[in-house]
């Protein structure tokens, strides 16, 4: 090995290089203020290594981007941690550059011979920011998609070149798609990733050159060992912070590492989308300008701020230039921090925003449940959500049914009409729900027929007659109550609800008794199995998938309300058969749920 090293050293001059690094002198003494060049190089190495392994799994396509990130996050051993380290190391690098710039301004370390090193660090920050912004879309989740669509739309604000730049960024279409992903991926890896590495190395080299110039003829301290150990410790602090952020949500569960939302849906919307922390101040600033002046907070103000920092070496040559630089920097910092905190506070107390994010987190968990149980189809993970009753049922109900019906579910799941004028649909066809038709107060109340054309109909009259006949005779009331409980159980059993299978199986005798009572009490008006009945809705298979699909598709069908139908449209003319199925399955509580652990 000694001979091998000797021959390798003769050809590469490694000993000479190592010796030069050790002999390099830093101005003054070793200091924590001189760690930034080393930290930046270390950060871009972490980025490059983790990015390379992520590249091995990533597939930039509208039907493969989210899916490849999902695979990395959930199927590859340690993949979630690799993603998190890559993500947070970019953010911590940007934060480190910001601290470096603040330190440089306060100590006036942008003066000759360190102007180029200062500008190189600004370049590292700009390129790292660009990498974070472009990387946001690569997850292809709803937040990244919406945020990127908003950001790219700002290009239209640029006079003359805006539309061309927008077409170049998105691939020419109104929506983001395959071409957008491939272009953002190329920008992220090739231009911005490569540029960040090049500028970090340039900053390290320029810092070293400035050290050499400042230590000429002075007794500077050697870089090794004191400054080397301090810089190494700073790199250790960097990676500890990155791992702390990566592990802050634990090492298991659906939200470990970096949050990966639901698949991007170009047909959907997500008003709660927000930019990353470093852009929240600009986001809040943009709200202070009318739309016609949006170019000011989006392009002009950030451009002026960047120009201010680039011009600092010249500004410092003025008599009060250094104070101008310090005052300007601290003022900008106060404004940005203030706007950022204000924006976060507004979102924290904004109930619709919080609900939207809670719904997005639930959707992210839901698509993973479906992917794990059913696999991801060739058409992509979005298909799983579009074919899921638990997801699509509430959306269809809110869009098409909630103008008349309430769905008064607990735990924030309620969907309420502005003014209910039709029966309550939560708990549809359950025993409790069916029994509401058999009591005068409930059937004539707002949750059943109270706000419909049937409030004075034959069904209401029959219910009144039943209870009128029982009168005040306690024994008769108890007997009628027991009989109606059996009728409710029998009708509910017709629905074959998944949630009542065990109960229906257990109460076979009660259901059999209820079937006899239906034959005695209901078949004069209702058709029920062999009994032909009158003109009231068919109770055969009441509440079943086929029955519910049928009444939603066409309530005016003779099997249901016929000419007596009260306002309900035929949704076969509005929705597809599959959409009616999704609404039907949701109302019946019929969807996939993973087995309890």
């Amino acid at each position: 090995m000694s001979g091998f090293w000797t021959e390798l050293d003769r050809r590469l001059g490694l000993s000479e290089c190592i010796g030069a690094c050790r002999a390099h002198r830093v101005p003054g003494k070793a200091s924590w203020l001189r760690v930034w060049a080393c930290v930046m190089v270390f950060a871009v190495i972490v980025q490059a290594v983790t990015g390379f392994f992520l590249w091995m799994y990533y597939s930039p396509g509208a039907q493969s981007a989210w899916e490849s990130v999902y695979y990395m996050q959930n199927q590859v051993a340690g993949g979630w941690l690799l993603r998190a380290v890559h993500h947070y190391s970019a953010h911590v690098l940007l934060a480190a550059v910001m601290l470096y710039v603040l330190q440089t301004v306060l100590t006036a370390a942008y003066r000759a011979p360190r102007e180029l090193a200062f500008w190189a660090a600004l370049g590292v920050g700009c390129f790292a920011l660009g990498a974070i912004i472009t990387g946001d879309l690569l997850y292809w989740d709803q937040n990244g998609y919406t945020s990127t669509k908003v950001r790219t739309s700002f290009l239209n604000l640029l006079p003359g070149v805006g539309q061309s730049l927008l077409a170049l960024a998105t691939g020419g279409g109104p929506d983001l798609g395959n071409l957008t992903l491939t272009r953002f991926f190329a920008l992220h890896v090739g231009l911005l990733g490569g540029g960040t590495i090049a500028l970090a190395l340039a900053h390290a080299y320029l810092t070293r050159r400035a050290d050499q110039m400042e230590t000429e003829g002075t007794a500077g301290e050697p870089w090794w060992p004191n400054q080397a150990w301090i810089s190494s410790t700073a790199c250790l602090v960097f990676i500890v912070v990155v791992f702390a952020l990566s592990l802050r949500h634990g090492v298991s569960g659906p939200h470990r590492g970096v949050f990966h939302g639901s698949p991007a849906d170009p047909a959907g919307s997500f008003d709660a989308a927000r930019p990353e922390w470093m852009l929240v101040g600009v986001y809040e600033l943009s709200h202070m300008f009318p739309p016609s002046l949006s170019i000011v907070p989006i392009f002009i103000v950030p451009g002026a701020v960047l120009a201010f920092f680039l011009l600092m070496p010249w500004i410092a040559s003025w008599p009060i230039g250094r104070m101008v630089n310090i005052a300007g920097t601290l003022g900008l910092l106060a404004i940005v921090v203030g706007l950022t905190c204000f924006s976060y506070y507004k979102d924290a107390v904004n109930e619709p925003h919080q609900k939207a994010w809670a719904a997005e987190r639930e959707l992210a968990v839901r698509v993973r449940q479906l992917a794990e149980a059913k696999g991801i189809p060739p058409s992509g993970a979005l298909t799983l959500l579009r074919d899921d009753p638990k997801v699509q049922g509430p959306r269809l109900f809110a869009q098409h049914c909630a103008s008349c019906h309430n769905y008064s579910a607990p735990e924030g799941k309620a969907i309420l009409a502005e003014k209910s004028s039709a029966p309550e649909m939560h708990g549809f066809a359950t025993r409790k729900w069916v029994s509401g038709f058999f009591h005068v107060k409930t059937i004539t109340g707002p949750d059943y027929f109270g706000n419909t054309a049937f409030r004075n109909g034959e069904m209401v009259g029959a219910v009144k007659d039943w209870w009128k006949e029982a009168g005040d005779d306690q024994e008769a009331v108890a007997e009628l109550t027991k009989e109606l409980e059996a009728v409710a159980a029998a009708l509910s059993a017709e629905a074959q609800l998944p949630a009542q299978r065990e109960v229906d199986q257990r109460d076979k005798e009660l259901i059999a008794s209820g079937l006899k009572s239906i034959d005695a009490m209901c078949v004069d008006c209702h058709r029920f199995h062999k009994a032909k009945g009158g003109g009231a809705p068919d109770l055969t298979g009441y509440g079943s998938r086929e029955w519910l699909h049928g009444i939603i598709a066409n309530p005016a069908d003779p099997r249901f309300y016929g000419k007596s139908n009260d306002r309900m449209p035929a949704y076969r003319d509005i929705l597809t058969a599959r959409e009616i199925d999704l609404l039907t399955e949701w109302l019946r509580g019929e969807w996939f749920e993973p087995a309890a652990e």
Side-chain angles (χ1 to χ4, degrees):
M1 290 298 296
S2 176
F4 172 76
W5 171 255
T6 300
E7 291 301 316
L8 187 64
D9 185 37
R10 287 178 60 192
R11 288 161 177 77
L12 300 179
L14 296 177
S15 295
E16 182 180 344
C17 180
I18 294 173
C21 289
R22 295 180 64 175
H24 172 67
R25 307 185 76 81
V26 295
K29 295 182 179 181
S31 170
W32 284 96
L33 300 180
R34 304 186 188 283
V35 302
W36 302 110
C38 188
V39 168
M40 289 183 200
V41 172
F42 179 73
V44 297
I45 291 173
V46 172
Q47 285 278 286
V49 172
T50 54
F52 172 77
F53 285 104
L54 290 174
W55 194 351
M56 294 173 66
Y57 290 93
Y58 185 70
S59 176
Q63 278 77 48
S64 60
W66 186 96
E67 291 73 11
S68 60
V69 175
Y70 162 82
Y71 180 73
M72 169 64 73
Q73 178 78 10
N74 299 281
Q75 305 297 325
V76 177
W80 67 271
L81 183 58
L82 185 68
R83 281 190 64 233
V85 170
H86 184 75
H87 173 90
Y88 286 115
S89 60
H91 288 251
V92 178
L93 169 61
L94 182 57
V97 172
M98 292 178 176
L99 290 175
Y100 167 80
V101 170
L102 180 60
Q103 172 197 306
T104 302
V105 173
L106 295 177
T107 60
Y110 43 70
R111 289 174 172 169
R114 297 187 178 272
E115 310 99 316
L116 293 179
F118 176 62
W119 291 333
L122 290 175
V124 171
C126 291
F127 273 66
L129 175 60
I132 291 171
I133 291 173
T134 52
D136 196 25
L137 178 68
L138 301 184
Y139 299 154
W140 203 242
D141 61 5
Q142 196 62 39
N143 181 65
Y145 178 92
T146 306
S147 297
T148 303
K149 190 167 185 179
V150 171
R151 282 195 288 262
T152 53
S153 69
F154 290 148
L155 294 172
N156 279 321
L157 299 173
L158 297 173
V161 298
Q163 291 186 351
S164 299
L165 288 175
L166 178 61
L168 181 65
T170 63
D175 292 320
L176 313 184
N178 288 317
L179 285 175
T180 316
L181 272 169
T182 53
R183 293 179 186 195
F184 269 62
F185 186 59
L187 284 171
H188 181 77
V189 177
L191 178 62
L192 298 168
T196 305
I197 294 172
L199 285 166
L201 293 174
H203 175 263
Y205 172 76
L206 292 168
T207 299
R208 179 183 175 86
R209 287 290 300 165
D211 288 346
Q212 291 173 346
M213 295 173 68
E214 289 183 355
T215 55
E216 288 178 357
T218 64
E221 182 176 315
W223 181 81
W224 180 269
N226 293 339
Q227 188 61 53
W229 281 108
I230 291 175
S231 296
S232 298
T233 304
C235 292
L236 178 62
V237 171
F238 172 89
I239 203 65
V240 167
V241 172
V242 169
F243 270 91
L245 291 170
S246 301
L247 300 174
R248 65 194 178 114
H249 298 304
V251 297
S252 61
H255 300 314
R256 62 184 178 176
V258 182
F259 177 71
H260 188 211
S262 61
D265 184 359
S269 62
F270 184 53
D271 294 336
R274 295 292 185 269
E276 297 285 6
W277 59 271
M278 73 292 297
L279 294 175
V280 170
V282 176
Y283 165 80
E284 189 61 36
L285 179 66
S286 68
H287 292 163
M288 300 179 180
F289 288 79
S292 60
L293 295 177
S294 293
I295 192 172
V296 174
I298 301 302
F299 290 108
I300 295 178
V301 171
V305 170
L306 179 59
F308 170 65
F309 282 103
L310 290 173
L311 293 173
M312 277 187 176
W314 284 283
I315 296 174
S317 64
W318 304 346
I320 59 169
R322 182 183 177 188
M323 295 307 298
V324 170
N325 288 338
I326 293 175
T329 300
L330 294 179
L332 286 170
L333 181 62
I335 292 171
V336 171
V337 171
L339 288 173
T340 301
C341 292
F342 179 63
S343 184
Y344 281 129
Y345 170 76
K346 283 202 315 181
D347 285 345
V349 297
N350 186 330
E351 187 175 350
H353 175 83
Q354 296 300 323
K355 285 184 176 180
W357 261 111
E360 171 59 15
R361 286 190 289 269
E362 288 184 9
L363 205 59
V365 172
R366 181 60 178 171
V367 72
R368 281 161 180 74
Q369 292 174 345
L370 296 172
E372 290 170 4
K374 302 180 179 182
I376 297 176
S379 54
L382 188 58
T383 304
L384 294 172
L385 294 179
R386 287 178 172 171
D387 201 44
D388 181 30
K390 186 177 181 179
V391 173
Q392 298 302 326
R395 294 178 178 178
L396 291 168
F397 187 91
Q399 185 177 359
H400 298 283
C401 309
S403 56
C404 299
H405 294 275
N406 280 339
Y407 184 84
S408 304
E411 300 177 359
K413 302 295 184 182
I415 305 172
L416 304 179
E418 185 174 342
K419 186 177 181 181
S420 174
S421 61
E424 164 71 48
M425 295 306 294
H426 180 249
F428 170 78
T430 61
R431 293 183 184 185
K432 181 179 179 181
W433 188 89
V434 172
S435 66
F437 282 104
F438 303 149
H439 300 274
V440 177
K441 287 185 178 180
T442 52
I443 194 173
T444 58
D447 287 343
Y448 289 88
F449 285 165
N451 294 323
T452 72
F454 306 120
R455 60 183 174 274
N456 296 315
E458 293 182 13
M459 179 68 187
V460 173
V463 172
K464 289 180 177 179
D465 289 342
W466 295 341
W467 290 100
K468 185 176 181 180
E469 289 177 10
D472 297 327
D473 186 337
Q474 296 298 317
E475 185 176 343
V477 169
E479 184 177 345
L480 177 60
T481 300
K482 183 177 180 182
E483 185 174 18
L484 291 177
E485 287 178 356
V487 171
L491 275 179
S492 181
E494 291 286 306
Q496 299 181 344
L497 297 174
Q500 286 190 175
R501 283 198 186 102
E502 293 183 5
V503 176
D504 290 344
Q505 187 68 23
R506 183 192 67 200
D507 294 342
K508 286 184 177 181
E509 292 184 4
L510 178 66
I511 291 171
S513 173
L515 291 173
K516 293 179 181 179
S517 296
I518 290 174
D519 286 335
M521 301 171 67
C522 308
V523 295
D524 287 343
C525 299
H526 294 276
R527 183 177 180 180
F528 188 67
H529 295 291
K530 294 181 180 180
K532 294 183 179 180
D538 187 355
L539 298 182
T540 307
Y542 179 81
S544 65
R545 290 186 65 183
E546 183 271 335
W547 190 95
L548 187 53
H549 181 109
I551 197 170
I552 293 173
N554 184 19
D557 186 281
R559 180 187 175 188
F560 302 110
Y561 287 108
K563 295 181 180 180
S564 300
N565 177 50
D566 179 26
R567 297 170 290 133
M568 183 172 171
Y571 280 101
R572 66 184 180 186
D573 301 327
I574 302 171
L575 303 175
T576 65
R578 181 52 188 155
E579 286 175 327
I580 296 176
D581 278 340
L582 290 169
L583 184 56
T584 296
E585 291 164 13
W586 174 69
L587 287 171
R588 287 172 42 80
E590 197 169 24
W591 56 71
F592 165 79
E593 286 291 352
E597 296 182 0

